């Protein structure tokens, strides 16, 4: 997830771009850059690494030759290519006359880059984006207008994008387009104070709301041609269309949170995108799973005899889900360790044990040290991380990135779902390499995986129903969470969410283990949340639910739509759509996040910054 902005006209293009980038920084801050245009030639400035990149950029931009008629800017969350200045946007073509900023992933960029290189194009970054600049360069050489060149280029591109382009030959024109990734367009008339008319394009409303409320959203495969007083929107085939006008009644602060009250709910609502982006480019139409960026080759992975996962908190829960996937599909024995415990036992590891570290931040010290320990034993180490070039990603032998974008709320939500998706992919990829997955099964699983973002979206829409259930239990101070099989880590994640943001005691148990002791705690009024979606162990879960119910517990179930048999055994139900049982955690955890969220809000708590916690824990 990156942020893009463009401005043409008005009295302060440079300031508009820099201020817009500041508001878009929540989408990533690995680097920032702008291209400015006066009456012709383009002038580029970029700065890399961390939250200081925008300050550094501002210093460089102070030296820009003025005046500026138009410009485009970008704040980056690295995916393809490290977070360096070389990879910072905007990217230029060979002539330096075309500049592109891009949010999304060009899935077929390798193929396109090979063709362009064979045609003599020189690349100066490791990004997927740069191919777009070179393709436009080729199209422009045919003497067409920039908008036509962009359309012709995008017809060759697969994947997700929102992008903005300027070229030296068309001063004051910005051409922008989108597929999957969001893009809004704004038009400001001449101001009463004499300010000149202007046009804007940006990844989200917050970046331009300070300048205009005349806003439109582009649809997939629409291209807009912007000049200070005109906007023309057309399809990739060039047919003019009417864009959708946006009614915006947010102030700027609300706009930064996408209109949500806090980052946590915004990030929960970004979960369908986080899962879709994590799967993007990794499910090939031929029915194969492609993880070519891993850095550990298929030959070495084929030698693996065992998997050991180390992680903390929500990442640990993603590992517990993955254990079932590794064992079921890849037929690989798998153990999952809490990272802070791993180092202090005498682990038995060798070169045939694949050690997988899961970490959103890639910086958690417990996981980092555990992975260092594993490498000392000669085990190949693979990291599943959200932050590109984080310490773990740099030190590991291989890395599989989740593409959830930056997460501001301390509670992991969208990054957790992205981890679940990435771990399922990894297990299926290993199964493919080991020959334990038939092509027919692979195709079915493909379809199930591809449907997950939609199912997560559907589940999120039921927020009001979850809020109603949560409202019944706001004075409950003690919850039990039960689950079996992959439902157990879901229960553990639900309990963790409730503890960390609502400060309510919540204990997760394997449902079958209750009778070995903890059931003594069940008495009339005890509240039990159980994950009871359809699975091979559904009947067993329901027997355990009956055990607590008969002792007076109030039972809330997470159950599949239409499963009335489950509802008959519950005092309340959090309904979710069904999917393959091994993928079900991706959907089932969502109402538990919502349950914790509404409970915390009912207690008047700050869900984004819970007490005593830090987003990244770098102490042992
Ligand atoms: O960055 P990491 O994934 O390594 O972080 C691990 C845990 O600290 C993290 O998941 C923590 O438990 C979250 N607050 C959970 O919401």
């Amino acid at each position: 997830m990156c942020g893009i902005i463009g401005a043409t006209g008005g009295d302060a293009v440079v300031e508009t771009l820099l201020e817009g980038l500041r508001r878009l920084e929540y989408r990533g801050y690995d680097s920032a850059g702008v291209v400015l245009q006066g009456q012709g030639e383009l002038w580029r400035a970029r700065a890399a690494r961390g939250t200081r990149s925008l300050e550094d950029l501002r210093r460089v931009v102070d030296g820009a030759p003025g005046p500026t008629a138009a410009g485009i800017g970008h704040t980056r969350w690295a995916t393809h290519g490290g977070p360096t200045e070389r990879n910072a946007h905007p990217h230029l073509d060979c002539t330096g006359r075309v500049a592109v900023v891009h949010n999304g992933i060009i899935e077929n960029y390798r193929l396109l880059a090979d063709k362009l290189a064979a045609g003599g194009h020189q690349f100066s970054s490791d990004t997927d984006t740069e191919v777009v600049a070179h393709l436009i360069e080729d199209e422009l050489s045919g003497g067409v207008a920039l908008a036509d060149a962009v359309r012709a280029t995008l017809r060759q591109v697969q994947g997700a994008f929102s992008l903005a382009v300027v070229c030296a030959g068309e001063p004051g024109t910005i051409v922008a387009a989108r597929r999957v990734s969001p893009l809004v367009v704004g038009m400001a008339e001449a101001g009463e104070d004499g300010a000149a008319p202007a046009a804007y394009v940006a990844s989200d409303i917050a970046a331009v709301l300070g300048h205009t409320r005349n806003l439109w959203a582009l649809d997939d495969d629409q291209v807009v041609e912007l000049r200070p007083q005109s906007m023309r929107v057309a399809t990739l085939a060039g047919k003019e269309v009417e864009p959708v006008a946006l009614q915006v009644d947010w102030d700027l602060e609300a706009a930064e949170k996408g209109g949500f009250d806090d980052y946590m709910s915004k990030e929960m609502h970004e979960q369908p995108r986080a899962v879709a982006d994590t799967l993007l480019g990794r499910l090939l139409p031929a029915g194969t799973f492609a993880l070519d960026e891993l850095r550990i080759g298929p030959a070495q992975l084929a030698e693996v005899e065992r998997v050991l996962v180390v992680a903390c908190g929500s990442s640990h829960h993603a590992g517990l889900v993955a254990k079932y996937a590794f064992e079921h599909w890849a037929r690989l024995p798998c153990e999952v360790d809490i990272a802070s415990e791993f180092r202090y036992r005498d682990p038995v590891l060798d070169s045939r044990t694949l050690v997988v570290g899961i970490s959103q931040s890639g910086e958690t010290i417990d996981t980092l040290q555990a992975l260092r320990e594993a490498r000392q034993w000669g085990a190949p180490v693979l990291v599943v991380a959200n932050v590109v070039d984080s310490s773990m990603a740099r030190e590991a032998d291989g890395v599989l990135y989740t593409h959830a974008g930056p997460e501001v709320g301390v509670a992991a939500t969208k990054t957790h779902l992205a981890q679940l998706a990435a771990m399922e992919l990894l297990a299926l990829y290993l199964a493919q390499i080991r020959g334990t997955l038939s092509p027919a099964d692979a195709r079915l699983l493909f379809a199930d995986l591809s449907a997950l973002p939609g199912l997560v979206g559907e589940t999120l829409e039921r927020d009001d129903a979850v809020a109603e259930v949560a409202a019944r239990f706001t004075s409950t101070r003690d919850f039990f969470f039960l689950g079996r099989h992959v439902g157990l880590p879901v229960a553990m994640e639900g309990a963790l969410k409730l503890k960390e943001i609502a400060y309510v005691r919540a204990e997760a148990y394997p449902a079958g283990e209750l009778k070995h002791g903890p059931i003594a705690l069940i008495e009339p009024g005890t509240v039990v949340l159980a994950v009871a979606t359809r699975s091979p162990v559904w009947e067993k879960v329901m027997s355990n639910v009956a055990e607590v119910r008969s002792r007076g517990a109030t039972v809330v179930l997470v159950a599949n739509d239409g499963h009335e048999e489950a509802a008959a055994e519950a005092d309340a139900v959090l309904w979710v759509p069904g999917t393959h049982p091994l993928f079900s955690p991706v959907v089932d955890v969502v109402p538990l996040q919502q349950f914790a969220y509404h409970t915390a809000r009912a207690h008047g708590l700050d869900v984004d910054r819970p007490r005593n916690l830090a987003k990244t824990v770098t102490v042992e």
Side-chain angles (χ1 to χ4, degrees):
M1 191 158 92
C2 303
I4 70 171
I5 183 162
T8 176
D11 297 333
V13 168
V14 176
E15 205 35 57
T16 300
L17 295 180
L18 292 175
E19 176 58 15
L21 290 179
R22 192 188 66 71
R23 294 195 183 278
L24 290 169
E25 261 194 325
Y26 77 89
R27 302 178 70 87
Y29 42 76
D30 287 328
S31 62
V34 292
V35 153
L36 308 178
Q37 184 181 37
Q39 276 320 301
E41 297 309 304
L42 307 181
W43 184 86
R44 177 169 70 168
R46 301 183 294 175
R49 272 230 93 95
T51 42
R52 290 182 52 77
S53 56
L54 201 48
E55 282 169 44
D56 293 342
L57 179 69
R58 187 177 279 279
R59 269 192 289 278
V60 189
V61 164
D62 279 344
T68 301
I72 53 175
H74 187 269
T75 180
R76 180 163 188 251
W77 178 257
T79 56
H80 294 72
T84 57
E85 189 171 321
R86 168 186 162 81
N87 292 325
H89 298 218
H91 290 289
L92 304 178
D93 68 332
C94 299
T95 65
R97 291 174 63 77
V98 176
V100 178
V101 287
H102 165 224
N103 165 38
I105 296 170
I106 309 288
E107 287 183 53
N108 58 337
Y109 83 98
R110 284 199 188 90
L111 195 77
L112 295 170
D114 289 348
K115 271 203 225 159
L116 287 161
H121 286 269
Q122 304 280 334
F123 283 82
S124 52
S125 77
D126 316 308
T127 64
D128 53 332
T129 303
E130 197 184 335
V131 294
V132 176
H134 293 282
L135 288 169
I136 295 172
E137 177 189 356
D138 273 359
E139 297 297 336
L140 284 174
S141 67
V144 301
L146 179 61
D148 291 327
V150 170
R151 268 190 281 275
T153 293
L154 296 181
R155 288 196 290 265
Q156 303 169 55
V157 159
Q158 288 164 11
F161 55 78
S162 61
L163 46 85
V165 187
V166 287
C167 90
E170 293 190 36
T173 303
I174 297 174
V175 175
R178 69 157 282 200
R179 183 184 298 157
V180 183
S181 308
L183 199 66
V184 294
V185 177
M187 297 292 295
E189 290 164 11
E192 283 171 13
D193 55 356
Y200 308 96
V201 62
S203 295
D204 80 23
I205 292 170
V208 293
L209 196 59
H211 303 284
T212 182
R213 283 180 179 267
N214 300 324
L215 296 164
W216 292 265
L218 283 203
D219 264 344
D220 276 356
D221 286 331
Q222 289 184 345
V223 178
V224 64
E225 227 177 312
L226 284 175
R227 296 190 185 84
Q229 282 175 293
S230 73
M231 164 179 95
R232 179 179 182 270
V233 181
T235 62
L236 285 192
K239 183 174 174 288
E240 196 157 340
V241 287
E242 200 57 45
V244 182
L246 294 170
Q247 294 298 329
V248 183
D249 44 19
W250 302 336
D251 60 17
L252 265 174
E253 199 197 330
E256 273 184 347
K257 292 177 183 156
F260 292 97
D261 291 339
D262 38 65
Y263 284 105
M264 183 177 172
S265 53
K266 174 170 179 277
E267 287 159 2
M268 286 196 289
H269 281 83
E270 287 169 354
Q271 293 185 121
R273 188 67 279 129
V275 173
D277 283 353
T278 299
L279 298 175
L280 197 71
R282 290 162 170 174
L283 303 178
L284 299 187
T288 41
F289 300 92
L291 298 179
D292 5 333
E293 80 273 24
L294 276 191
R295 300 201 304 238
I296 305 179
Q300 190 179 359
L301 289 174
E303 303 284 298
V304 166
E305 288 173 351
R306 167 180 169 240
V307 179
L308 183 104
V309 180
V310 285
C312 306
S314 296
S315 300
H316 175 248
H317 300 154
L320 291 172
V321 171
K323 175 181 166 71
Y324 293 87
F326 285 125
E327 295 187 342
H328 180 74
W329 283 313
R331 304 304 298 144
L332 278 168
C334 176
E335 288 166 67
V336 186
D337 263 66
I338 289 191
S340 53
E341 290 296 317
F342 171 77
R343 237 168 20 117
Y344 303 102
R345 64 184 174 88
D346 239 345
V348 182
L349 297 174
D350 57 26
S351 62
R352 290 180 181 237
T353 305
L354 176 68
V355 175
V356 182
I358 310 177
S359 175
Q360 180 283 129
S361 59
E363 302 293 346
T364 302
I365 197 77
D366 292 322
T367 312
L368 185 62
Q369 296 288 32
L371 297 181
R372 285 177 178 160
E373 173 82 15
R375 289 194 89 206
Q376 279 184 5
W377 287 88
V381 167
L382 177 68
V383 163
V384 174
N386 196 45
V387 178
V388 171
D389 268 7
S390 47
S391 302
M392 283 180 221
R394 287 198 309 273
E395 289 185 25
D397 300 296
V399 63
L400 172 61
Y401 286 117
T402 50
H403 294 309
E407 191 171 65
V408 178
V410 163
T413 53
K414 63 173 180 171
T415 56
H416 178 63
L417 259 67
Q419 288 171 343
L420 292 170
M423 292 303 284
E424 298 288 357
L425 275 173
L426 181 61
L428 290 166
Y429 181 66
L430 287 173
Q432 187 177 275
I433 289 173
R434 291 166 57 78
T436 53
L437 186 69
S438 74
D441 281 348
R443 274 192 293 277
L444 289 175
L445 294 169
F446 246 60
D448 287 335
L449 271 177
S450 311
L452 284 176
L455 299 182
V456 172
E458 224 180 285
T459 310
L460 285 164
E461 279 167 22
R462 304 171 184 189
D463 191 49
D464 288 349
V466 181
E468 265 175 44
V469 175
R472 287 169 54 184
F473 301 106
T474 45
S475 47
T476 304
R477 302 303 307 166
D478 216 336
F479 287 85
F480 276 89
F481 280 70
L482 302 182
R484 294 181 85 133
H485 197 260
V486 289
L488 174 59
V490 173
M492 293 167 79
E493 179 63 9
L496 174 60
K497 289 281 107 55
L498 200 56
K499 284 185 265 210
E500 69 178 333
I501 64 166
Y503 315 153
V504 171
R505 198 184 312 271
E507 286 204 64
Y509 276 103
E513 182 67 11
L514 268 194
K515 58 186 176 292
H516 298 288
I519 201 165
L521 292 169
I522 304 289
E523 55 188 6
T526 307
V527 181
V528 174
L529 271 93
V531 180
T533 46
R534 284 193 182 89
S535 79
V537 294
W538 182 79
E539 278 86 3
K540 306 265 179 225
V541 174
M542 292 312 288
S543 305
N544 301 136
V545 166
E547 286 157 18
V548 295
R549 259 196 129 204
S550 65
R551 286 161 177 83
T554 302
V555 170
V556 180
L557 292 186
V558 179
N560 283 138
D561 291 345
H563 203 175
E564 297 304 332
E565 225 182 312
E569 300 299 323
D571 297 281
V573 181
L574 306 174
W575 295 109
V576 290
T579 177
H580 187 291
L582 284 190
F583 299 152
S584 62
V586 177
V587 179
D588 297 357
V589 79
V590 173
L592 298 183
Q593 296 170 339
Q594 293 168 312
F595 187 91
Y597 174 85
H598 289 295
T599 307
R601 289 288 303 254
H603 292 166
L605 299 171
D606 179 346
V607 291
D608 288 336
R609 277 169 299 182
R611 69 184 180 203
N612 306 339
L613 295 178
K615 182 72 186 159
T616 303
V617 184
T618 51
V619 289
E620 267 201 79

